[in-house]
Amino acid sequence: MLAELQSSIGDDVLIGLGQAAAAIALCAAIMALCAWQAVHVGLEAAISIVRGLVQMVLVGVVLAVLLHGSLLIGSVILFMMTIAAAVTASRRLKGMNGAVLMCFWSIAAGAGTIIAVMLATRSLQPEISALVPVGSMIIANAMNSCAQAIERFRAEIAAHTGHIEAALSLGAEPAVTVAPYLQSAVYASLLPRLDMMKSLGLVWIPGVMAGMVVSGTSPVYAGIYQFIVVAMILSASGITGLVATALMRSRAFSPAAQLLLRPADAASSDRAD
């Protein structure tokens, strides 16, 4: 294990650190330009840059150590990523009991289902070198879909509280009263992924395809595989958005069909953010 770690630290790493320093210098210059225009993001940008570099170096070290690990080790890594994603997404629901668990089940349902399908169809190899990078992309997009869906759903309920309560007073089922807002929330969570699919190959060539082409893979196959990955990301986002809004809908009403999610709750959560 130590030998694998040492072999990963060579001249290319030193060159990479030099290139990273140049990238940091460019970011610093842009932040200085922003400060000149009274856009004060210097401290936050500095923290983000340092954190991003440290995190990616640590990821590289871990992958260098575990590059030839088993499917079990890769699954544990993805499980920990899912927990971190759930904690991040749950910040949109401060004050709601069980928000982290709700986000975890939503992200796990979307990302877990798609990763399992990709493994079963051999679209994704069980080696850590392939499983973790591709799996992390799917989990990250599921996290974003979860956060966007629950935030939009909460905002829609807060904006239409009067309509919902009027419908409830007339005997409508809770699920029926919020159905249009659930649909709107799921669509909003899918829209970035739909735009990503539309622009695929025209506006951008994603990193997976670029890396495969550089490594000598057929460009045609690399393009097909990149499409598969983006399609799986779209599918994972759809599952996550549906599960997240369904779970949140069940928490929005009491057993007596009373609306529990009030506009004041949404406003207090926004202030906390």
Side-chain angles (χ1 to χ4, degrees):
M1 183 177 294
L2 181 60
E4 292 176 358
L5 180 58
Q6 291 175 338
S7 65
S8 68
I9 303 177
D11 293 340
D12 55 341
V13 175
L14 296 178
I15 293 173
L17 290 175
Q19 294 168 339
I24 292 173
L26 178 59
C27 290
I30 299 303
M31 293 307 103
L33 181 61
C34 290
W36 181 56
Q37 293 294 326
V39 180
H40 303 293
V41 294
L43 179 59
E44 183 178 359
I47 294 174
S48 300
I49 291 170
V50 172
R51 178 176 172 177
L53 177 60
V54 171
Q55 287 175 173
M56 290 309 299
V57 170
L58 290 177
V59 167
V61 171
V62 171
L63 289 178
V65 173
L66 302 176
L67 189 59
H68 303 291
S70 64
L71 177 60
L72 177 61
I73 295 177
S75 300
V76 171
I77 294 174
L78 293 181
F79 178 75
M80 298 303 295
M81 287 181 174
T82 303
I83 293 176
V87 172
T88 302
S90 68
R91 292 172 183 167
R92 306 277 185 156
L93 291 174
K94 288 181 179 180
M96 176 177 285
N97 294 330
V100 174
L101 192 59
M102 183 184 73
C103 292
F104 173 80
W105 287 121
S106 302
I107 296 170
T113 300
I114 296 307
I115 292 173
V117 169
M118 293 185 73
L119 287 171
T121 59
R122 308 298 294 175
S123 297
L124 180 61
Q125 299 302 316
E127 289 80 12
I128 286 182
S129 57
L131 177 63
V132 173
V134 175
S136 66
M137 286 191 294
I138 294 174
I139 292 171
N141 279 274
M143 175 192 71
N144 291 333
S145 179
C146 179
Q148 291 163 351
I150 59 180
E151 184 174 42
R152 179 63 175 268
F153 193 41
R154 184 193 66 180
E156 290 282 4
I157 291 177
H160 298 90
T161 298
H163 295 165
I164 296 171
E165 292 188 329
L168 290 173
S169 67
L170 295 174
E173 292 292 329
V176 175
T177 64
V178 297
Y181 316 128
L182 185 149
Q183 296 162 5
S184 175
V186 174
Y187 177 75
S189 71
L190 283 175
L191 191 56
R193 261 58 67 180
L194 291 170
D195 288 342
M196 181 171 64
M197 179 67 81
K198 293 176 184 177
S199 64
L200 185 62
L202 295 177
V203 179
W204 65 298
I205 298 178
V208 172
M209 179 180 178
M212 293 176 69
V213 172
V214 170
S215 66
T217 305
S218 166
V220 176
Y221 175 73
I224 294 172
Y225 188 77
Q226 182 63 77
F227 166 78
I228 293 171
V229 171
V230 175
M232 293 299 100
I233 286 174
L234 177 62
S235 300
S237 299
I239 295 173
T240 299
L242 289 169
V243 173
T245 50
L247 291 176
M248 190 172 177
R249 180 183 61 192
S250 67
R251 295 171 178 269
F253 297 93
S254 71
Q258 296 172 317
L259 184 62
L260 299 177
L261 189 61
R262 317 298 301 179
D265 297 333
S268 61
S269 179
D270 290 337
R271 287 194 296 270
D273 291 338

